[in-house]
Amino acid sequence: MSSTANGKNGTWRNWGGNVSARPAREVAPASVEELAAAVRRAAEDGLTVKAVGAGHSFTSIAATDGVLIRPQLLTGIRDIDRENMTVTVEAGTPLKRLNVALAREGLSLTNMGDIMEQTVSGATSTGTHGTGRDSGSIAAQIKSLELVTADGSVLNCSEKENPDVFAAARIGLGALGIVTAITFAVEPVFLLTAREEPMPFDKVLSDFDELWAENEHFEFYWFPHTGSTNTKRNNRSAGFERPVPQLKSWIEDEFLSNGVFQVANWVGRAVPATIPAIAQISSKALSARTYTDIPYKVFTSPRRVRFVEMEYAVPRAAVVGALRELKAMVDRSGLRVSFPVEVRTAPADDIALSTASGRDSAYIAVHMFQGTPFQRYFTAAERIFTAHEGRPHWGKIHTRDAEYFSRVYPRFGEFTALRDRLDPDRRFQNDYLRRVLGA
């Protein structure tokens, strides 16, 4: 658990600093048995239970005034099965530790998000994803999972065992039980060649279908108040490792992307009128570069500048139109936006409440620097996204409720019926789940 997610006097805070909670008590179980006992004891005391990971969600999905379960003792790799190419890890394992441990074993996940501070269970339970033409979210790579349910029993779930629970619990929002271990599909470690280069906004949009089709992993960042984007194409390489030289890496990933960007955001927060000029400079700061490395060194990057974020998945066919609307809205709004807009994709999957459930999807993420007012920007953006039947990321800011979700998720009723069966007394309830899943 990073110290930033810890508060003083028993107050828990998330990474973005926009959510805090005061649990009645905190428990750090060292085993599945201890965790199950903590759930049973909470029931005896009439308290609700929530597990929390690294606090990287911007929603109050992990907040509780009941029992807060901290998983820092439930970490590490339980088993590597080279015959079936799977790895089983304890739920509290941070992604960055998993990635390093797998690389040491000559293995890798197929796809991952761009941050690796989260725990594996926190990342999968909220639907954390990267970008991919053929490969989906981290949860889509789950082969089986272990779940402690409301009565303290331990369920093993896979396509063969409790398949109805497996269909939902891979992205379970913490509503079905507490995930204690996850088995992921892995593959022999491979090399990715990353090609990063600036491209005009209009060209990215006009060529979007080709850029998506021709690359295994395509994403781009658009800088509001400019017509500029930074594109990133990651494709498998048969070649040799050619990492970014250490000094160049420090200058581009730390100094420019974190250090200078932090200062630019401080200036922008103090004097919003400077933001369009800063955006023009920011959009040109990072030059084109090509490098080849193992997956986690290409997919992920450090994020030290704190922000709040809203992200919606829209049908992939709708993304270009939604982005044009977003740009038009920002241009006429008088808003001052210092953070780039991030655009990624995912193929359809079969997980009930996955943002890509049953449809090929594209993600549009809007960010604001921590401490700047974000309401007006996010509200205007959300209006555009929901007009395209957008599905918000479960761990990022949104204002949607169960009534909306029942319209945009064909399998919403399947999930809530399963929750009624597994948690009839709402042991894992909190205000956020009450809003998004209904009472």
Side-chain angles (χ1 to χ4, degrees), residues 129-436:
H129 61 89
T131 189
R133 180 188 60 203
D134 315 301
S135 53
S137 68
I138 303 178
Q141 299 167 69
I142 295 178
K143 287 310 215 191
S144 64
L145 55 86
E146 181 182 81
L147 188 72
V148 171
T149 56
D151 61 4
S153 55
V154 182
L155 279 188
N156 288 302
C157 314
S158 66
E159 279 176 3
K160 294 190 181 70
E161 225 178 335
N162 299 303
D164 55 335
V165 181
F166 184 66
R170 282 173 286 169
I171 298 180
L173 318 186
L176 305 174
I178 295 177
V179 176
T180 48
I182 299 175
T183 301
F184 290 105
V186 291
E187 57 178 303
V189 73
F190 52 93
L191 291 175
L192 283 172
T193 293
R195 183 174 154 202
E196 298 172 11
E197 63 178 346
M199 195 180 286
F201 180 77
D202 290 331
K203 181 164 173 56
V204 174
L205 293 198
S206 63
D207 295 356
F208 183 81
D209 289 340
E210 292 93 280
L211 288 162
W212 169 81
E214 287 165 10
N215 295 284
E216 290 170 70
H217 308 274
F218 174 68
E219 65 186 300
F220 70 92
Y221 296 85
W222 164 57
F223 295 82
H225 316 297
T226 78
S228 311
T229 76
N230 250 326
T231 61
K232 186 169 179 176
R233 287 168 255 202
N234 297 332
N235 289 289
R236 293 196 182 212
S237 165
F240 302 100
E241 273 183 52
R242 281 207 319 271
V244 183
Q246 230 165 346
L247 178 64
K248 189 173 163 66
S249 167
W250 180 83
I251 289 171
E252 293 176 344
D253 297 327
E254 284 296 342
F255 183 64
L256 291 176
S257 299
N258 286 301
V260 174
F261 191 54
Q262 175 85 49
V263 174
N265 273 284
W266 281 333
V267 172
R269 185 166 67 186
V271 190
T274 59
I275 286 176
I278 291 171
Q280 290 289 349
I281 298 164
S282 297
S283 71
K284 295 178 174 60
L286 296 171
S287 53
R289 62 179 186 174
T290 301
Y291 54 97
T292 301
D293 215 327
I294 60 174
Y296 83 86
K297 294 185 179 179
V298 174
F299 284 131
T300 68
S301 49
R303 290 268 188 282
R304 305 197 206 288
V305 183
R306 299 210 174 217
F307 53 84
V308 289
E309 179 178 1
M310 167 184 280
E311 181 184 62
Y312 266 76
V314 297
R316 203 184 66 237
V319 68
V320 169
L323 284 164
R324 289 196 201 284
E325 292 165 40
L326 188 67
K327 185 174 191 302
M329 179 276 288
V330 170
D331 288 347
R332 64 165 185 267
S333 66
L335 285 164
R336 295 286 175 258
V337 181
S338 63
F339 252 83
V341 172
E342 184 179 21
V343 181
R344 296 177 288 175
T345 68
D349 64 38
D350 63 349
I351 305 169
L353 291 190
S354 164
T355 44
S357 183
R359 74 182 190 195
D360 290 341
S361 301
Y363 296 93
I364 306 174
V366 296
H367 311 70
M368 276 294 225
F369 184 48
Q370 188 178 24
T372 45
F374 60 83
Q375 246 76 24
R376 195 159 73 91
Y377 176 38
F378 283 14
T379 301
E382 191 171 40
R383 206 170 288 137
I384 292 166
F385 303 148
T386 53
H388 293 281
E389 298 201 330
R391 299 168 176 170
H393 188 302
W394 296 109
K396 297 176 187 177
I397 291 169
H398 66 88
T399 65
R400 302 295 91 191
D401 60 14
E403 196 268 329
Y404 178 83
F405 291 126
S406 67
R407 294 203 309 272
V408 297
Y409 281 101
R411 297 170 66 181
F412 188 75
E414 175 191 324
F415 188 96
T416 54
L418 182 66
R419 179 189 187 216
D420 288 342
R421 193 183 95 214
L422 291 180
D423 187 14
D425 301 327
R426 299 292 186 259
R427 187 66 45 221
F428 303 114
Q429 174 89 288
N430 65 2
D431 291 342
Y432 180 76
L433 292 182
R434 199 172 282 117
R435 169 164 72 97
V436 301

Side-chain angles (χ1 to χ4, degrees), residues 109-126:
L109 293 170
T110 299
N111 198 354
M112 55 194 82
D114 57 6
I115 298 178
M116 51 175 180
E117 303 304 316
Q118 310 100 314
T119 60
V120 292
S121 57
T124 53
S125 295
T126 54

